[in-house]
Amino acid sequence: MRLDYRRLVHYVYHHHVRIILLALLLSVAAGYFAAQLRIQTDFAGLLPKDYISVRELNRIKERVGGISPLIIVVTADDLSQAARFVEVLADTLEHNPLVTAVVSRRQDQEFYRRNRLLYMDRADLAEVHRRLAEYLDEEKLRHSPLYVALDDEEPALDFSDLEAKYQEKTGKTGLAREYLLTVEGNGITLSVYPTEGTTDIKYTRRLMASIDQTITALQPQQYHPSIQCVYQGAVRNNANQYDAVMQDMKLSSLLSLLGVLALISLYFRQIWASVFVAIPLLMSLVWTFGLTYLVIGNLNQITVGLFAILFGLGIDYGIHVFARYREARRRGLAVEAALEETVQHTGTSLTTSGMTTAVAFFSMMTAEFRGFYEFGFIVGSGIIFSLLAMIVVCPAFIVLAERWQLVRLWQHETPAHLLRRGRYPVPWLTLAVCALLTAYAAYRLVDVQFEYDFHKLQPPSPSTGFTLPEEVREVRSPAIVLTESAAETAEVVAALAARKAAGGDSTAIGTVRSVYSALPVGQESKLEIIGRIRQLLDADQGLFSAAQRARVDSLRPYLAVQGLRLEDLPADRTKIFRSKDGQLLNFVMVTSSLALRDGRNAIRFAREVRDIPTPSGKVYHASSSHIIFAEMLELMVSDGIKAIGLTLLIVSLVLYADLRRVRDTALALTPLLTGLVWTTGIMYLFDIRLNFYNIIAFPTVIGMGIDNSVHIFHRYREEGPGSMRLVLRTTGVALIATSLTNMVGFAGCLSAHHPALTSISTLALIGMSCCFVTSVTLLPALLQWGEGRGREALAAPAA
């Protein structure tokens, strides 16, 4: 880390124009690539590509298409007219190339009534045959000339208990018998199955735009003026969430940029200062995102907001450089001498803090979770480019500004407050207060909770005035198991049914079905029983009384049935199992009995259905957006904990490499560790929960929070014992500006409507604030306490 800063400054001073032109050229080239960056919106892209669930989801998309429907709720004051519109809309959407299937009606009740005997349990069908046989045997006996009646009671043929068992349970009447109405009965639901997955935002936009055009072209107001169409389901939610994130990030980036520039101008009391600091930083950000395109190729939903964050992170290097340069010029140094002192002293601490921060973020690239990996790469690269820009390009702009006389910093007399030295007052009191606060926060550390409810991390949805029916809510995002044949499908269904039965009331498995589930079970044996019933009726129909014959004759139409094939099933029952070209597909659809908005339920469901071993020895795998979400949650938590530990380790090693002494390294780390503990204490006090978004704030705070300690420590080394008051008045004041700019980078996200973004910003702001306070109180108190105990060599440079 020991660079020849004197030669660097000499080159910059004499070749500043060349350096600025080269930086501009690099910025133009990098900007070309950065402009081609696109946002990867598929959550599966955040998991390693070799994950089985990711591979299976890609196979599902290719073979099945979208497994989560876009739900259209058509409301109107007159539902009969809404039903007419729904029929026309469904028929039109069936021909949409972006749509696989459209479900607008309930199951064909007439079909199931016609084949009701095939759909009865075999035991109940056998009971019908037994009762008929017993009745006819008794009637034959009664008609025998040798029969002597012991009572006047006639034999009865009663099926009322079986009829009650199989009667329609819904009790639906009117439109509710044909359509899936909202719970309130004020709308009709239409399920549109897309050809692609719901996480592909580009496709989702095309789909919804296409449906919008279709609805507009059909002129729903011609059916009834009050007709309205409202989108629901995962497709709509993903699109709305993406739009909210993009809108929030544009606003937060603008607010962060303006806020940082305003702070710099206020701190230095001149606008040109903010310009000469901001331009090199913007160049470094262009270099960063140009490199991101070349290495990664895209941004994801976690890294999309890094412009605002990196701007706040990188600007503090420029503030330190310009503040130290201004201080040197005010003491009467010439431009080159002032730059040499600035880069010689501030450059050392900047290099240490910058490399420590960069390496800390680069350590996140060891994570399997792609969100952490890409976040670490982009921020680490951005820190290095920002450091390079502020040590090389920013001084070049300063030289240019001095020669053009755009800034006037030189003055003959040095302000007295810049030379005043002194001790840190009452260090033991600071140490005692910090110890008490740390003890309380550490005690409450185990009480910090994790937020598993994913809906609380999504933008709030507007009130719709209706509730989707249970039949629609149940199949909004099922897990899919791909199979290759009817035999394999049956094997998977049986394995899942057995697992569900073994789980009892605690199972997370809801319904398990395939296209074959619509066929009656055990048709051959049932048809044999139906045939025997038909023979009984045909052979002995004269034995029935007039009243009984009417009941028997009503049964005869249901006896004229044949075995059902897939082709005999109603189209609405099989269409979601068909490809776009109409081919029936082999796969198993599994729903959950739990609300999967809770991450713990999603994890339970994923663990039950993710891997399905069968008696044949083959293992099948399920996948869905919720299984991807569950695996992402587990991976983020485990990788987040590893990232925090690894970041601390890397920071410690880099600090030791710079400070060369274990005791000094421990001292520099103490404010950071204390600030992290305080952060958890504040989280407990204000009921701020960890979630799989804001957990990334901890390694971020570690990488950024160490900067303040490094700057205080290096300036104290430079000035020597008895200089703590001077250190805090110079470097400490600069740290206020740099910390505020860092915070402004995150504070811009507080205006976001997306709870995930605000949770990251809130936790990062708390962490950075705590680390700043401990750096300017706890660390000076420790250094002063060391002086008081005769340890003047505490912060002396190692030999």
Side-chain angles (χ1 to χ4, degrees), residues 671-734:
L672 172 63
L673 298 176
T674 304
L676 292 176
V677 175
W678 287 9
T679 301
T680 60
I682 293 175
M683 292 177 66
Y684 167 76
L685 287 176
F686 293 94
D687 193 26
I688 300 173
R689 299 189 175 193
L690 274 176
N691 57 60
F692 59 86
Y693 282 114
N694 66 17
I695 195 172
I696 203 171
F698 275 99
T700 302
V701 169
I702 292 171
M704 296 165 55
I706 194 63
D707 286 2
N708 295 329
S709 298
V710 170
H711 286 297
I712 292 287
F713 212 95
H714 273 278
R715 187 60 185 267
Y716 180 72
R717 264 189 176 180
E718 178 187 341
E719 300 295 340
S723 63
M724 189 52 65
R725 183 169 295 181
L726 173 63
V727 171
L728 292 178
R729 283 177 175 170
T730 53
T731 302
V733 172

Side-chain angles (χ1 to χ4, degrees), residues 3-10 12 320-322 324-325 328 335-351 387 390-392 394-396 398:
L3 302 176
D4 191 345
Y5 293 107
R6 179 173 299 179
R7 293 184 61 185
L8 175 62
V9 170
H10 181 78
V12 170
H320 281 293
V321 168
F322 203 84
R324 188 61 183 265
Y325 175 77
V335 175
E336 186 173 2
L339 280 177
E340 183 177 326
E341 178 183 298
T342 298
V343 178
Q344 181 71 34
H345 296 293
T346 303
T348 302
S349 58
L350 285 180
T351 303
L387 181 63
M390 292 310 173
I391 291 180
V392 178
C394 184
I398 290 175

Side-chain angles (χ1 to χ4, degrees), residues 244-245 247-248 251 457-460 749-758:
V245 169
Q247 181 180 357
D248 287 341
L251 178 59
L457 302 176
Q458 293 180 321
C749 296
L750 292 179
S751 62
H753 296 88
H754 200 300
L757 298 178
T758 56

Side-chain angles (χ1 to χ4, degrees), residues 319-386:
I319 292 176
H320 281 293
V321 168
F322 203 84
R324 188 61 183 265
Y325 175 77
R326 183 181 64 169
E327 177 187 335
R329 288 285 282 146
R330 283 178 172 176
R331 287 190 278 108
L333 295 181
V335 175
E336 186 173 2
L339 280 177
E340 183 177 326
E341 178 183 298
T342 298
V343 178
Q344 181 71 34
H345 296 293
T346 303
T348 302
S349 58
L350 285 180
T351 303
T352 299
S353 63
M355 294 305 298
T356 302
T357 304
V359 173
F361 280 108
F362 281 138
S363 69
M364 297 175 65
M365 295 177 63
T366 60
E368 288 187 274
F369 181 59
R370 295 289 301 178
F372 286 169
Y373 175 91
E374 294 174 10
F375 187 94
F377 173 81
I378 297 173
V379 178
S381 301
I383 293 297
I384 290 178
F385 283 136
S386 298

Side-chain angles (χ1 to χ4, degrees), residues 126-179:
E127 178 65 14
V128 171
H129 177 268
R130 186 190 67 79
R131 293 183 188 182
L132 274 173
E134 288 184 354
Y135 173 84
L136 292 173
D137 287 345
E138 190 167 348
E139 282 295 324
K140 289 178 182 178
L141 184 61
R142 285 171 56 85
H143 285 75
S144 171
L146 301 178
Y147 175 76
V148 177
L150 300 179
D151 53 49
D152 297 332
E153 184 177 349
E154 295 185 2
L157 184 59
D158 184 16
F159 299 113
S160 59
D161 57 332
L162 295 177
E163 290 174 349
K165 179 179 179 181
Y166 289 98
Q167 72 180 356
E168 188 176 3
K169 297 180 181 179
T170 61
K172 305 291 184 183
T173 59
L175 288 174
R177 292 179 61 88
E178 299 182 54
Y179 300 96

Side-chain angles (χ1 to χ4, degrees), residues 503-575:
D505 295 336
S506 63
T507 183
I509 300 176
T511 60
V512 180
R513 62 192 180 103
S514 70
V515 67
Y516 305 101
S517 300
L519 293 173
V521 178
Q523 288 193 77
E524 292 185 4
S525 62
K526 290 179 182 179
L527 286 171
E528 189 270 331
I529 296 174
I530 292 171
R532 286 192 279 125
I533 292 174
R534 188 167 53 243
Q535 290 175 0
L536 284 175
L537 298 181
D538 292 342
D540 301 309
Q541 58 181 342
L543 298 177
F544 293 102
S545 64
Q548 296 288 10
R549 186 176 295 111
R551 291 177 58 84
V552 170
D553 288 343
S554 67
L555 181 64
R556 287 184 182 277
Y558 303 110
L559 298 174
V561 293
Q562 298 179 345
L564 297 178
R565 301 169 300 171
L566 291 177
E567 293 76 10
D568 300 323
L569 296 174
D572 283 350
R573 188 64 181 83
T574 61
K575 62 171 56 177

